[in-house]
Coordinates of all heavy atoms in Angstrom, one line a residue:
G92 N 4.7 -17.1 25.3 CA 5.4 -18.4 25.6 C 5.6 -19.2 24.3 O 6.0 -18.6 23.2
D93 N 5.3 -20.4 24.4 CA 5.5 -21.3 23.2 C 4.2 -21.3 22.3 O 4.2 -22.0 21.3 CB 5.9 -22.7 23.5 CG 4.8 -23.4 24.4 OD1 3.7 -22.9 24.6 OD2 5.1 -24.5 24.9
G94 N 3.2 -20.6 22.7 CA 2.0 -20.4 21.9 C 0.9 -21.5 22.2 O -0.2 -21.3 21.7
R95 N 1.2 -22.5 23.0 CA 0.2 -23.6 23.1 C -1.1 -23.1 23.7 O -2.1 -23.7 23.4 CB 0.9 -24.7 23.9 CG 1.0 -24.5 25.4 CD 1.6 -25.7 26.1 NE 3.0 -26.0 25.7 CZ 3.6 -27.1 26.0 NH1 3.1 -28.0 26.8 NH2 4.9 -27.2 25.6
H96 N -1.1 -22.1 24.6 CA -2.4 -21.7 25.2 C -3.3 -21.0 24.2 O -4.5 -20.9 24.4 CB -2.1 -20.7 26.4 CG -1.6 -19.4 26.0 ND1 -0.3 -19.2 25.6 CD2 -2.2 -18.2 25.9 CE1 -0.1 -17.9 25.3 NE2 -1.3 -17.3 25.5
L97 N -2.8 -20.7 23.0 CA -3.6 -20.2 21.9 C -3.8 -21.2 20.8 O -4.3 -20.9 19.7 CB -3.0 -18.9 21.3 CG -3.1 -17.7 22.2 CD1 -2.3 -16.5 21.6 CD2 -4.5 -17.3 22.5
G98 N -3.3 -22.4 21.0 CA -3.5 -23.5 20.1 C -2.5 -23.4 18.9 O -2.8 -24.0 17.8
V99 N -1.3 -22.8 19.1 CA -0.3 -22.7 18.0 C 1.1 -23.1 18.6 O 1.2 -23.2 19.8 CB -0.3 -21.3 17.4 CG1 -1.6 -21.0 16.8 CG2 0.2 -20.3 18.4
A100 N 2.0 -23.2 17.7 CA 3.4 -23.4 18.2 C 4.2 -22.2 17.6 O 4.2 -21.9 16.4 CB 4.0 -24.7 17.6
I101 N 4.9 -21.5 18.5 CA 5.6 -20.3 18.1 C 7.1 -20.5 18.2 O 7.7 -21.0 19.1 CB 5.2 -19.1 19.0 CG1 3.7 -18.8 18.8 CG2 6.0 -17.8 18.7 CD1 3.2 -17.7 19.7
T102 N 7.8 -20.1 17.1 CA 9.3 -20.0 17.0 C 9.7 -18.6 17.0 O 9.1 -17.7 16.2 CB 9.7 -20.7 15.7 OG1 9.4 -22.1 15.8 CG2 11.2 -20.6 15.5
Y103 N 10.7 -18.2 17.8 CA 11.1 -16.8 17.9 C 12.5 -16.7 17.2 O 13.3 -17.5 17.3 CB 11.3 -16.4 19.3 CG 9.9 -16.4 20.1 CD1 9.7 -17.3 21.1 CD2 9.0 -15.4 19.8 CE1 8.5 -17.3 21.8 CE2 7.8 -15.4 20.5 CZ 7.5 -16.3 21.5 OH 6.4 -16.3 22.2
S104 N 12.7 -15.5 16.6 CA 14.0 -15.1 16.0 C 14.4 -13.8 16.5 O 13.7 -12.8 16.2 CB 13.8 -15.1 14.4 OG 15.0 -14.6 13.9
H105 N 15.4 -13.8 17.4 CA 15.8 -12.5 18.0 C 16.8 -11.8 17.1 O 17.9 -12.4 16.8 CB 16.4 -12.8 19.4 CG 15.4 -13.3 20.4 ND1 14.8 -12.5 21.3 CD2 14.9 -14.6 20.6 CE1 14.0 -13.2 22.1 NE2 14.0 -14.5 21.7
E106 N 16.6 -10.6 16.8 CA 17.5 -9.8 15.9 C 18.2 -8.7 16.7 O 17.5 -7.8 17.2 CB 16.7 -9.2 14.8 CG 16.1 -10.2 13.8 CD 15.3 -9.5 12.7 OE1 15.4 -8.3 12.5 OE2 14.5 -10.2 12.0
Q107 N 19.5 -8.9 16.9 CA 20.2 -7.8 17.6 C 20.2 -6.5 16.8 O 20.2 -5.5 17.3 CB 21.6 -8.3 17.8 CG 21.7 -9.5 18.8 CD 21.1 -9.2 20.2 OE1 21.4 -8.2 20.7 NE2 20.4 -10.2 20.7
T108 N 20.3 -6.7 15.5 CA 20.2 -5.6 14.5 C 19.0 -5.9 13.6 O 18.9 -7.0 13.1 CB 21.5 -5.4 13.8 OG1 22.6 -5.2 14.7 CG2 21.4 -4.2 12.8
L109 N 18.2 -4.9 13.4 CA 17.1 -5.1 12.5 C 17.5 -5.5 11.1 O 18.4 -4.9 10.5 CB 16.2 -3.9 12.4 CG 15.4 -3.6 13.7 CD1 14.7 -2.2 13.6 CD2 14.3 -4.6 13.9
L110 N 16.9 -6.5 10.5 CA 17.3 -7.1 9.2 C 16.4 -6.7 8.1 O 16.7 -7.1 6.9 CB 17.4 -8.6 9.3 CG 18.5 -9.1 10.3 CD1 18.4 -10.7 10.4 CD2 19.9 -8.8 9.7
G111 N 15.4 -6.0 8.3 CA 14.4 -5.7 7.3 C 13.4 -6.9 7.1 O 13.6 -8.0 7.7
T112 N 12.4 -6.7 6.3 CA 11.3 -7.7 6.3 C 11.8 -9.0 5.6 O 11.6 -10.1 6.1 CB 10.1 -7.1 5.5 OG1 10.6 -6.6 4.2 CG2 9.5 -6.0 6.3
A113 N 12.5 -8.9 4.5 CA 13.0 -10.1 3.8 C 14.2 -10.7 4.5 O 14.4 -11.9 4.6 CB 13.3 -9.7 2.3
G114 N 15.0 -9.8 5.1 CA 16.1 -10.3 5.9 C 15.7 -11.1 7.1 O 16.3 -12.1 7.4
A115 N 14.6 -10.7 7.7 CA 14.0 -11.5 8.8 C 13.6 -12.8 8.3 O 13.8 -13.8 9.0 CB 12.8 -10.7 9.4
A116 N 12.9 -12.9 7.2 CA 12.5 -14.2 6.6 C 13.7 -15.1 6.3 O 13.7 -16.3 6.5 CB 11.6 -14.0 5.4
K117 N 14.7 -14.5 5.7 CA 15.9 -15.2 5.3 C 16.5 -15.9 6.6 O 17.0 -17.1 6.5 CB 17.0 -14.3 4.7 CG 18.3 -15.0 4.3 CD 18.1 -15.9 3.1 CE 19.4 -16.4 2.6 NZ 19.2 -17.3 1.4
R118 N 16.6 -15.2 7.7 CA 17.1 -15.8 8.9 C 16.3 -17.0 9.4 O 16.9 -17.8 10.1 CB 17.1 -14.7 10.0 CG 18.1 -15.0 11.2 CD 18.3 -13.7 12.0 NE 19.3 -13.9 13.0 CZ 19.0 -14.2 14.3 NH1 17.8 -14.2 14.7 NH2 20.0 -14.3 15.1
L119 N 15.1 -17.1 9.0 CA 14.2 -18.2 9.3 C 14.0 -19.2 8.2 O 13.1 -19.9 8.2 CB 12.9 -17.7 9.8 CG 12.8 -17.0 11.2 CD1 11.7 -16.0 11.3 CD2 12.7 -18.1 12.2
Q120 N 15.0 -19.2 7.2 CA 14.8 -20.0 6.0 C 14.7 -21.5 6.3 O 13.9 -22.2 5.7 CB 16.0 -19.8 5.1 CG 15.8 -20.4 3.7 CD 16.9 -19.9 2.7 OE1 17.9 -19.3 3.1 NE2 16.7 -20.3 1.5
T121 N 15.3 -22.0 7.3 CA 15.2 -23.4 7.7 C 13.8 -23.7 8.2 O 13.2 -24.8 7.9 CB 16.2 -23.8 8.8 OG1 17.5 -23.5 8.3 CG2 16.1 -25.2 9.1
F122 N 13.2 -22.8 8.9 CA 11.8 -23.0 9.4 C 10.8 -22.8 8.3 O 9.9 -23.6 8.1 CB 11.5 -21.9 10.5 CG 10.1 -21.9 11.0 CD1 9.6 -22.8 11.9 CD2 9.2 -20.9 10.5 CE1 8.3 -22.8 12.3 CE2 7.9 -20.9 10.9 CZ 7.4 -21.9 11.8

Side-chain angles (χ1 to χ4, degrees):
D93 61 7
R95 71 177 66 187
H96 69 286
L97 288 174
V99 300
I101 297 177
T102 296
Y103 297 108
S104 175
H105 292 263
E106 296 179 14
Q107 296 300 315
T108 302
L109 288 171
L110 294 172
T112 54
K117 179 69 173 183
R118 197 164 187 263
L119 285 156
Q120 188 169 10
T121 302
F122 174 80

